[in-house]
Amino acid sequence: MIRFALKVVVMAVAFYLLAQYLPGIDVVGNQDAPLGVTGTFLWVALLFAVVNAVVGPILRFLSLPAVLLTLGLFLLVVNAALLGLTAALSDRLDVDGFGTAVVGGLVLAVVGWLADTVLDRG
């Protein structure tokens, strides 16, 4: 449980950095929430984790022929779709286009992989 919470915090930091440095990804902070803007980033990261855990395996399984055909590059499209679905489910996350979603999905996949690698060691 602690590992999951730490990964959500790491992903919240990744969403913060994406919102700061990638034009087209915006996280609308809620100043009036109990945790303020930080809570908004934690909420978006938690929602992305749930979408990735529930819908991600289904999308990866259904897209297996395309993934094999493209030698794994189609997973970028799957990650972009998961990010877009998260944006559709939340009124606090805005993703402007498909290209932005692909880049954002790539960054989130790399950060998630790094977080899993570091947290598995400890």
Side-chain angles (χ1 to χ4, degrees), residues 47-48 50-52 54-56 59 78-91 93 95 101:
L47 184 61
F48 181 74
V50 170
V51 167
N52 200 10
V54 174
V55 181
L59 277 181
V78 172
N79 288 338
L82 293 172
L83 182 60
L85 181 59
T86 304
L89 292 173
S90 174
D91 60 343
L93 176 65
V95 179

Side-chain angles (χ1 to χ4, degrees), residues 59-85:
L59 277 181
R60 288 181 191 95
F61 177 73
L62 292 176
S63 66
L64 188 61
V67 170
L68 293 174
L69 187 63
T70 62
L71 301 176
L73 288 177
F74 195 75
L75 287 174
L76 292 174
V77 175
V78 172
N79 288 338
L82 293 172
L83 182 60
L85 181 59

Side-chain angles (χ1 to χ4, degrees), residues 2-106:
I2 292 176
R3 183 178 173 272
F4 177 75
L6 286 174
K7 186 171 179 186
V8 168
V9 170
V10 169
M11 295 304 283
V13 171
F15 271 107
Y16 174 76
L17 293 174
L18 280 175
Q20 294 296 316
Y21 296 111
L22 185 62
I25 292 185
D26 297 315
V27 177
V28 180
N30 184 3
Q31 298 288 345
D32 299 329
L35 294 176
V37 177
T38 304
T40 304
F41 284 101
L42 288 171
W43 164 249
V44 169
L46 179 64
L47 184 61
F48 181 74
V50 170
V51 167
N52 200 10
V54 174
V55 181
I58 297 168
L59 277 181
R60 288 181 191 95
F61 177 73
L62 292 176
S63 66
L64 188 61
V67 170
L68 293 174
L69 187 63
T70 62
L71 301 176
L73 288 177
F74 195 75
L75 287 174
L76 292 174
V77 175
V78 172
N79 288 338
L82 293 172
L83 182 60
L85 181 59
T86 304
L89 292 173
S90 174
D91 60 343
R92 297 288 173 189
L93 176 65
D94 294 321
V95 179
D96 282 344
F98 179 72
T100 304
V102 169
V103 174
L106 176 64

